[in-house]
Amino acid sequence: MEHFVLLLVLFAFLPIFSAQNASIIYDLIESTTTCAGCTALLLAPKGVAALGNDAFVSVITGVCVLSGGEDPDVCAGAVGLEGLILADHLRGMTIPSYTSTWFCTTIFGLCPLQAVRPYSVSFPTAKPAKTRPAPSGQSPIQIVHFSDIHVDFSYQVGANYNCTKNICCRPYTAADAPGKTQYPAGPNGNHECDTPKTLERSLYAAIGRVAPNASFALLTGDVVEGAVWLVNQAEVTSDLNDAYATMSSSSACQCSPPPGIMMLRQ
């Protein structure tokens, strides 16, 4: 009840002390330990979202920085790009509700998983009375399925793989640079980093060895590297074009990439 009263006061006076919202909301998050408390907590960010996208991004970026979970530049970039989605959801959210409970489950981990709501799908026609066809008796075909190549054009051999961000192997600081770190990245990648070009080319060579007679291949994403706080539309376009060109030029797997599907030429 104390949380709820405090949040009502916060919601009423948000325009007056908006500069302090980040610290207030962060303190509320830190002290909230129950599902009911989380539901009440959502009144605060919902109130900030009502002030507009700029206010929401500013405050939630501050909360992210105060949490220490990410570096300040990561907080600014990630919230700036993706925080608008949260703001839009919060503005249209009824609190409490099935949706707000799910929000507390997925964002804060403070509510249990909710039961799936039953939903009946209506079809215009009845299901046809067909059965599975008999086996053809022919030899099985080979199919290649790959995804999440996450090629990082900023990967540097020798750069720090033990950095403070979710994607390493980049010289974010002088101390991360090759020759300056005790954790140098190797030439073919590291599990703390995204994919260097050498590993990408190795993938297509491996496809050629493992499935030399493949009839076709499916790429189901994701191509762009995971430094979401830095990625923009121009980089996404460039990364996709380079990835498709690399696939097409690989003599090992002979990939030819129309949108969404990579067909192996026979």
Side-chain angles (χ1 to χ4, degrees):
M1 178 61 70
E2 181 181 348
H3 259 38
F4 184 74
V5 173
L6 178 58
L7 286 163
L8 287 178
V9 174
L10 173 64
F11 184 83
F13 290 95
L14 276 172
I16 299 176
F17 53 81
S18 59
Q20 303 173 19
N21 283 345
S23 178
I24 293 171
I25 293 176
Y26 175 71
D27 289 342
L28 288 170
I29 293 173
E30 283 286 280
S31 60
T32 300
T33 59
T34 66
C35 182
C38 180
T39 299
L41 168 69
L42 292 183
L43 289 172
K46 179 179 175 69
V48 177
L51 297 177
N53 287 338
D54 291 344
F56 185 83
V57 168
S58 175
V59 169
I60 301 305
T61 298
V63 171
C64 177
V65 172
L66 288 171
S67 73
E70 300 289 351
D71 290 347
D73 60 327
V74 177
C75 288
V79 175
L81 288 171
E82 302 182 1
L84 306 184
I85 301 171
L86 291 179
D88 184 67
H89 287 335
L90 285 166
R91 280 191 289 266
M93 186 183 296
T94 299
I95 301 174
S97 66
Y98 181 82
T99 301
S100 68
T101 301
W102 265 116
F103 194 96
C104 282
T105 300
T106 57
I107 302 299
F108 298 108
L110 290 174
C111 289
L113 294 175
Q114 303 300 293
V116 177
R117 288 175 167 177
Y119 181 75
S120 298
V121 179
S122 299
F123 292 93
T125 59
K127 180 179 178 181
K130 293 184 177 181
T131 60
R132 181 176 178 177
S136 67
Q138 300 180 21
S139 299
I141 63 173
Q142 290 184 335
I143 297 172
V144 175
H145 174 209
F146 63 109
S147 68
D148 296 88
I149 58 177
H150 292 288
V151 182
D152 185 4
F153 293 92
S154 296
Y155 184 102
Q156 284 194 16
V157 176
N160 184 13
Y161 67 76
N162 188 30
C163 69
T164 58
K165 305 183 191 302
N166 64 307
I167 297 295
C168 299
C169 299
R170 294 179 171 192
Y172 293 110
T173 67
D176 292 325
K180 302 293 185 180
T181 176
Q182 298 180 21
Y183 307 97
N188 294 314
N190 185 283
H191 67 276
E192 298 291 344
C193 314
D194 270 341
T195 307
K197 288 294 296 183
T198 51
L199 186 58
E200 179 191 17
R201 296 189 185 100
S202 176
L203 165 68
Y204 301 128
I207 289 175
R209 293 192 302 270
V210 173
N213 300 314
S215 298
F216 64 91
L218 299 176
L219 169 63
T220 53
D222 200 351
V223 172
V224 181
E225 44 88 1
V228 296
W229 68 99
L230 298 173
V231 173
N232 55 35
Q233 184 174 350
E235 181 182 346
V236 170
T237 302
S238 176
D239 287 1
L240 288 173
N241 287 335
D242 185 273
Y244 292 162
T246 303
M247 294 173 201
S248 298
S249 64
S250 173
S251 59
C253 74
Q254 298 184 335
C255 297
S256 178
I261 302 178
M262 311 309 127
M263 303 298 293
L264 291 184
R265 295 192 298 270
Q266 295 300 303

